[in-house]
Amino acid sequence: RSQRNQRAGAIAGALLKDLMQSEASFESTPTPVRRHRILVLEDRIDVADSLAMLLEALGQEVRIAYDGPGALELAPVFRPDIAILDIGIPGIGGIEVARHLRNSIDGTRVKLAALTGLDLSDGERQALQRIFDFQFVKPISERLLRELLRAKLN
């Protein structure tokens, strides 16, 4: 548990550092053409809040769910364009939420991004590719978030 807390703290710190760099270069970097609705599912409050702050600094509209049931409740009301889902959450996690979103009325419209704190095997990555459009290992950088936003534009 202590190692998990240390890893989560390091991830939050890296996201905050990225956010500060993003804000410093925000004026010189173009904002994506379109503002997206982004659902973030992350059980670590500091990581979720840091990621949301970074996305908001990039001009996006963000809602956070700290658990799977919260994401399932929020999704039909918020109707996200992009869902960034932590796949390591106990109970109803990112994979189950992704399957639900894919099976919903707008399931083909929403882009799904898997977020994990672990390096995955080739087999695990291939299995996730059947569900998710993108896969990221924490901490996710501003550059990768921009790539996700640009991909959504296409």
Side-chain angles (χ1 to χ4, degrees):
R1 187 121 173 99
S2 174
Q3 286 180 331
R4 182 177 178 201
N5 288 341
Q6 287 176 346
R7 172 109 170 108
I11 290 168
L15 284 171
L16 285 173
K17 180 181 174 192
D18 207 27
L19 175 61
M20 290 172 20
Q21 290 172 346
S22 169
E23 288 177 347
S25 65
F26 188 65
E27 292 180 12
S28 64
T29 310
T31 303
V33 176
R34 182 171 167 258
R35 182 177 175 146
H36 301 290
R37 289 183 310 276
I38 302 176
L39 172 63
V40 173
L41 169 60
E42 170 61 61
D43 60 342
R44 296 291 308 190
I45 294 170
D46 51 353
V47 173
D49 292 349
S50 298
L51 180 56
M53 287 173 28
L54 179 56
L55 288 164
E56 288 169 349
L58 295 172
Q60 305 306 305
E61 181 180 355
V62 182
R63 297 292 182 277
I64 302 170
Y66 300 107
D67 59 29
L72 292 174
E73 184 178 317
L74 184 58
V77 176
F78 182 53
R79 296 176 47 100
D81 301 308
I82 301 169
I84 302 174
L85 308 171
D86 182 351
I87 62 170
I89 293 177
I92 298 173
I95 293 173
E96 291 81 8
V97 171
R99 286 186 179 129
H100 176 79
L101 291 175
R102 278 287 184 241
N103 292 326
S104 70
I105 294 170
D106 293 336
T108 57
R109 178 189 61 80
V110 66
K111 294 288 185 186
L112 300 176
L115 188 61
T116 181
L118 306 171
D119 285 326
L120 302 174
S121 70
D122 288 341
E124 291 169 320
R125 274 193 292 279
Q126 289 173 356
L128 288 177
Q129 286 174 347
R130 293 185 205 117
I131 303 168
F132 291 92
D133 302 296
F134 305 93
Q135 298 173 39
F136 300 106
V137 176
K138 299 176 199 175
I140 183 172
S141 70
E142 176 189 351
R143 180 185 59 78
L144 290 175
L145 286 174
R146 286 184 184 279
E147 287 178 21
L148 172 64
L149 297 173
R150 276 194 296 277
K152 178 56 184 165
L153 294 173
N154 296 333

